[in-house]
Amino acid sequence: MAENDDDKTPSVPASGDEPVRPAVPEEPTVQATVPSTPEFDFSAEQNELRTGLRRFVERQSDEATVRRLIETDLGYDRALWGRLGSELGALALAVPEDLGGAGAGLVDQAIAAEELGAALFCGPLLGTVGLAIPALVAAPAGPVRDELLPALAEGTRTAAFVGALFAPYDPSATTIASSGAGERTTLSGTVEQVPDAGAADVLLVAASGPDGPVLVAVESADARITVRGSLDLTRRHARVDLDGAQGRVVASGAGADRAIRHAYAVAGVLLAAEQVGIAQHLLDITVAYAKERLQFGRPIGSFQAVKHRCADMLVAVEHARSTAYHAAWAVQDPSLDDPELAVAIAQSTCSEACYRIAADAIQMHGGIGFTWEHQAHLYYKRAIADAALLGSAEAYREVVSSRVLDALGDVRAPVVATG
Amino acid sequence: MSPGTSTTTSDALRVEEAARKVVAEHDPRSVPSEELLGALFDAGLAWVSFPEGLGGLGLSRGLQSIVDGIVVDAGGPRGFALNPIGYGMGAPTVVEYAQSTEQARDWLRPLATCEDIWCQLFSEPGAGSDVAGLATTAVRDGDEWVLNGQKVWTTLAHVSRWGMVVARTDPDQPKHRGLTYFVLDMHQPGVDVRPLRQMTGQAEFNEVYLNDARIPDANRLGEVGAGWKVAITTLMNERTAIGGVAGKRGTGPIAEALGLWSAMPERRTPVLRDRLSALWTKTEAHRLTLARARRTATKGQPGPEGSVSKLVAAELNQDVYEFCMDLLGPEALLYDDYTLRRADRIGHDPGATLQQRFLRSRANTIEGGTSEVMRNILGERVLGLPGDMRADSDRPWREVPRG
């Protein structure tokens, strides 16, 4: 039968010239201690978390606020960001308690990402919560981690992750070189587009050192950061030039590889959840509009051409939601599925669904949907950016292809008529 | 799968214990299937959600999978597989609408043992998606009703003992109000079952001609004129049954595509690889959505996840088999056998060829509600969009144009 044995798929070696290192003692998998509800079963606390965050963003991240913030230099409200960390604890839900977090789990953090995404909450969520915090959580203990993690979790400092963020994780893809592998290192190289870098206090850099990957923390003031005009007004890109920048080494070799890999997996989950939130919001406003907008003497939602497109949007949202939640549960509890495959399924499904729904939402709104005054374009721009971040739907289909199709074992061939 | 609350934990244990007892006392490998299925009925395990005495225990429907799992693991048959329309649609309708408990029990036990196969006589040549537009008439004659008309797409009619039939009892009422629901004896004079050959060459379905077929009033389900309400019970159960259950990853139609991909390395191209990858991923999304729907249903909060599954499964099947045909190349255009064959069971025929499955998949977006009607249902019932313009609202059925 066509049972896949994805767990046994060997991971691809990083690059040919990487020196073979002695085996590093395996560290325990991150998140293994979180008490997990059965898959797709949200606890009462998780439902409360969702309701609470929804209420918070209704007041604090309404459309007027988002429109005001995208006109500011920084692009977000530092005080509000601090409240998100300290008052709501929404930045470090998946951080173990002994590292200053809530010790909840990735499913909880995904719920937060969904609700904040639905409201287009402005702030360095991807850089700080999606990538930097999980990288630090998965990194070996050390002074840099212990100093940075609580500040990021509290919301007193923010971070961006400097790496190849427009493709699935590939350790050989970094363009930043690191010299020396002591506590401090000097970096060289430039990354043209780094989301959230303009708003970050600290940069977590995925670099390549003489002994393989290195994870380096650099104070933003020590790098040359140039904010660029971004298609998505709610999450800006900046150029980061690190030539000569001094940084502190967080992890190197296998430890760095593990930390970065975990960060990409978590960010993949949270980005997928954000896409679900955006897609659901757009479906909701589209359906509401189709009920009230009259043309030819009837609500446009009574026309099958409109109704059927809304039905297809519903199907896409439900599929996106299932894959995003599954990925959250699988990364939290790897006994459920191969986490990287689960993330690939979610990323390819959610990127496609969210973008398609955003495009359809504009179409269903007609002319008003194309105006600056309507919220649709803000979401549409986030949707196309999210679909490219961490790799496109096509790139993740390639991950699925290599993990599933190229790894097919003995599969029963179907009966074919031969005439 | 562990249930969500402590209440269902004890219910689950009770069901598990009862099922193990029946299987131990009626070893599926040595007793005839009627005996095992009868014992399951008597123990309230045929449909755990039904009332006690009628094949159930009055428990949550989600617990049925525990029973089915134990029976199948012990090598026994699932009644649902042998008598799908009876188990999935007939029984829930009988339990809700039979005129007496005795009548319900008389029907349900032989249905459960599969000694009586059931079929469903709804569709007509002039009433497909618009089932309520049907023209078969039932005229009262003392304690009996006399039926005349033609039904179509009747699965398993040629092996059925009983048929669920909806007929028009008042043509002067608007179409939904003039219908009445009956259970028809398929073995009586005036019931003529003819095979309906499909494009695959096979005859899975039948046409059923009713010429003065008589039904005692005691076999009426629900009130006279309230047949539509009864039919909705049947139809809702049909869609749940068609939507499917979350199987293991890589099973179902996608397994055929993976098998073919594995067997035909010389036919692979990057474009076909991407198509297969997209189909595999969509199959996963569908499977995970079914799993999520089952989880929410167990907690008693059915969400929109379940209602999308029928639509998705149908279109996905077609896409997967179309991919297989493209991968197969010229050989796809060969066919072994168009000789008329009749199926005694519905569901997958393990020997069916890929080309046959490909042709059969065309029915998926028509049977059990066309994809167009399913999208209307999602739009109107799940999203709450306004109803379509209708030409037949509040008009007597007699005056509505038909064709």
Side-chain angles (χ1 to χ4, degrees):
Chain A
M1 292 302 288
E3 271 289 300
N4 296 304
D5 231 350
D6 306 304
D7 299 8
K8 299 186 183 84
T9 310
S11 53
V12 184
S15 62
D17 55 1
E18 204 181 346
V20 179
R21 288 185 303 275
V24 180
E26 232 2 84
E27 296 220 350
T29 319
V30 188
Q31 301 294 349
T33 56
V34 175
S36 181
T37 50
E39 188 168 16
F40 302 126
D41 193 3
F42 291 101
S43 66
E45 291 77 14
Q46 285 169 332
N47 291 331
E48 275 166 34
L49 169 72
R50 184 185 292 283
T51 317
L53 272 168
R54 194 171 292 175
R55 242 181 262 133
F56 178 78
V57 294
E58 269 167 19
R59 287 194 304 266
Q60 309 295 343
S61 178
D62 60 339
E63 191 184 334
T65 306
V66 172
R67 284 182 183 273
R68 180 172 57 75
L69 290 175
I70 61 179
E71 299 292 340
T72 61
D73 284 344
L74 197 58
Y76 76 106
D77 179 342
R78 279 205 81 114
L80 194 60
W81 182 262
R83 286 183 61 195
L84 204 57
S86 56
E87 188 181 313
L88 293 158
L91 304 178
L93 290 160
V95 175
E97 281 180 70
D98 54 357
L99 296 176
L106 188 54
V107 173
D108 298 69
Q109 194 67 63
I111 292 170
E114 192 182 334
E115 295 304 322
L116 295 168
L120 282 187
F121 188 90
C122 294
L125 276 163
L126 181 75
T128 307
V129 182
L131 289 154
I133 289 179
L136 292 171
V137 165
V144 192
R145 187 186 84 164
D146 296 350
E147 175 206 311
L148 272 181
L149 202 45
L152 296 180
E154 267 293 293
T156 52
R157 302 195 82 199
T158 57
F161 189 93
V162 183
L165 288 181
F166 294 87
Y169 176 55
D170 173 4
S172 67
T174 179
T175 55
I176 303 295
S178 151
S179 63
E183 280 178 25
R184 298 192 75 83
T185 185
T186 305
L187 300 170
S188 64
T190 301
V191 177
E192 289 294 333
Q193 281 173 251
V194 179
D196 293 335
D201 301 318
V202 62
L203 305 172
L204 214 53
V205 184
S208 176
D211 296 320
V214 194
L215 187 63
V216 185
V218 178
E219 292 298 313
S220 297
D222 297 338
R224 276 184 299 285
I225 298 175
T226 318
V227 175
R228 309 186 68 176
S230 301
L231 183 78
D232 174 9
L233 297 154
T234 60
R235 181 179 283 142
R236 299 179 194 176
H237 298 190
R239 179 187 297 114
V240 175
D241 181 357
L242 289 164
D243 278 335
Q246 295 278 314
R248 291 181 293 166
V249 172
V250 179
S252 59
D257 184 65
R258 186 168 48 239
I260 299 168
R261 195 176 288 279
H262 182 66
Y264 271 81
V266 169
V269 167
L270 298 182
L271 192 64
E274 173 175 303
Q275 289 170 318
V276 171
I278 291 168
Q280 182 69 59
H281 173 81
L282 288 170
L283 174 61
D284 291 345
I285 63 166
T286 301
V287 166
Y289 185 72
K291 287 179 189 173
E292 75 190 21
R293 169 72 170 165
L294 302 180
Q295 292 282 269
F296 306 103
R298 350 170 354 195
I300 59 169
S302 70
F303 291 101
Q304 288 196 336
V306 173
K307 187 178 295 176
H308 287 192
R309 203 184 282 220
C310 290
D312 287 337
M313 291 165 85
L314 171 71
V315 172
V317 171
E318 292 303 327
H319 275 194
R321 191 184 300 285
S322 306
T323 61
Y325 291 172
H326 174 66
W329 255 286
V331 171
Q332 178 175 300
D333 176 5
S335 72
L336 290 172
D337 196 1
D338 166 4
E340 289 184 13
L341 179 62
V343 169
I345 294 166
Q347 274 289 308
S348 62
T349 304
C350 295
S351 287
E352 213 163 71
C354 183
Y355 174 73
R356 190 68 258 154
I357 285 167
D360 283 354
I362 291 178
Q363 178 67 22
M364 295 295 96
H365 278 82
I368 188 77
F370 187 66
T371 63
W372 189 266
E373 284 71 27
H374 198 274
Q375 55 173 293
H377 75 99
L378 299 172
Y379 284 88
Y380 177 75
K381 290 164 184 172
R382 175 72 80 86
I384 194 168
D386 279 4
L389 266 169
L390 301 175
S392 63
E394 289 77 13
Y396 281 100
R397 281 214 298 279
E398 183 53 43
V399 173
V400 168
S401 297
S402 62
R403 278 176 185 256
V404 177
L405 302 186
D406 302 349
L408 278 177
D410 276 337
V411 180
R412 191 174 56 104
V415 183
V416 174
T418 55
Chain B
M1 195 160 287
S2 61
T5 65
S6 56
T7 323
T8 54
T9 305
S10 66
D11 289 345
L13 286 173
R14 180 179 160 207
V15 164
E16 185 181 339
E17 209 169 291
R20 292 203 186 286
K21 184 157 177 275
V22 170
V23 169
E25 287 168 5
H26 308 269
D27 186 346
R29 286 159 305 181
S30 53
V31 306
S33 66
E34 296 92 63
E35 188 191 318
L36 172 69
L37 292 168
L40 287 167
F41 177 89
D42 297 338
L45 299 172
W47 303 271
V48 293
S49 59
F50 283 16
E52 293 191 36
L54 293 178
L57 295 168
L59 298 174
S60 155
R61 187 174 171 158
L63 299 172
Q64 189 63 42
S65 57
I66 298 176
V67 180
D68 296 349
I70 290 170
V71 172
V72 170
D73 287 349
R78 273 184 76 213
F80 187 88
L82 301 173
N83 194 3
I85 295 159
Y87 260 83
M89 295 166 240
T93 314
V94 162
V95 125
E96 199 169 337
Y97 290 104
Q99 291 181 32
S100 70
T101 309
E102 292 68 35
Q103 176 67 284
R105 193 178 300 121
D106 286 350
W107 273 325
L108 286 174
R109 200 175 187 283
L111 185 161
T113 61
C114 301
E115 288 159 280
D116 287 354
I117 302 296
W118 283 53
C119 64
Q120 171 207 328
L121 302 130
F122 283 15
S123 296
E124 298 187 2
S129 291
D130 180 17
V131 172
L134 57 86
T136 291
T137 56
V139 176
R140 184 134 195 176
D141 179 20
D143 280 346
E144 291 185 323
W145 295 83
V146 181
L147 270 71
N148 281 285
Q150 184 196 345
K151 297 289 178 176
V152 75
W153 306 121
T154 315
T155 308
L156 298 178
H158 57 294
V159 292
S160 284
R161 177 72 182 83
W162 299 103
M164 296 167 269
V165 61
V166 185
R168 189 159 302 282
T169 44
D170 189 350
D172 296 319
Q173 292 277 350
K175 65 177 184 179
H176 289 98
R177 277 183 255 155
L179 301 172
T180 304
Y181 196 115
F182 303 96
V183 176
L184 171 74
D185 180 352
M186 297 292 287
H187 289 177
Q188 67 175 307
V191 178
D192 182 15
V193 177
R194 302 180 198 168
L196 179 60
R197 197 174 180 195
Q198 307 147 216
M199 64 193 282
T200 55
Q202 284 187 295
E204 277 176 284
F205 307 111
N206 300 274
E207 298 175 297
V208 179
Y209 292 82
L210 302 170
N211 300 306
D212 291 333
R214 302 184 84 84
I215 300 183
D217 187 58
N219 286 16
R220 173 171 46 79
L221 297 188
E223 298 303 312
V224 174
W228 183 248
K229 196 176 145 206
V230 187
I232 288 293
T233 303
T234 311
L235 291 171
M236 292 309 284
N237 282 288
E238 176 179 29
R239 293 202 180 112
T240 317
I242 288 182
V245 287
K248 281 184 166 178
R249 171 176 287 169
T251 59
I254 197 70
E256 310 266 331
L258 294 174
L260 199 63
W261 181 258
S262 181
M264 303 195 79
E266 72 284 1
R267 292 275 312 162
R268 294 177 194 170
T269 67
V271 175
L272 286 170
R273 186 168 181 267
D274 183 53
R275 259 177 80 187
L276 180 53
S277 187
L279 288 169
W280 186 91
T281 306
K282 193 164 184 189
T283 301
E284 255 316 271
H286 172 56
R287 190 182 72 83
L288 292 167
T289 302
L290 284 169
R292 192 160 63 84
R294 191 163 76 172
R295 172 63 60 189
T296 39
T298 324
K299 296 194 95 186
Q301 316 151 330
E305 315 89 341
S307 42
V308 307
S309 70
K310 194 275 172 189
L311 174 67
V312 172
E315 296 188 345
L316 199 46
N317 279 359
Q318 292 178 348
D319 292 348
V320 168
Y321 288 119
E322 282 161 7
F323 166 83
C324 288
M325 294 293 277
D326 288 346
L327 177 59
L328 202 49
E331 220 185 323
L333 304 182
L334 301 174
Y335 205 80
D336 283 341
D337 193 4
Y338 273 124
T339 352
L340 174 72
R341 282 189 294 132
R342 307 208 69 180
D344 289 345
R345 289 185 185 187
I346 56 176
H348 274 298
D349 171 4
T353 64
L354 207 45
Q355 291 91 329
Q356 211 173 8
R357 290 175 199 266
F358 162 73
L359 292 180
R360 178 63 180 81
S361 73
R362 289 263 65 89
N364 295 153
T365 48
I366 302 168
E367 58 196 350
T370 65
S371 291
E372 289 69 26
V373 164
M374 294 314 295
R375 285 189 167 84
N376 275 3
I377 289 174
L378 291 180
E380 292 173 21
R381 306 226 184 114
V382 180
L383 298 176
L385 289 168
D388 245 315
M389 287 257 281
R390 312 190 71 142
D392 55 7
S393 301
D394 296 326
R395 285 172 75 181
W397 176 80
R398 199 189 281 287
E399 291 173 11
V400 173
R402 285 185 301 280

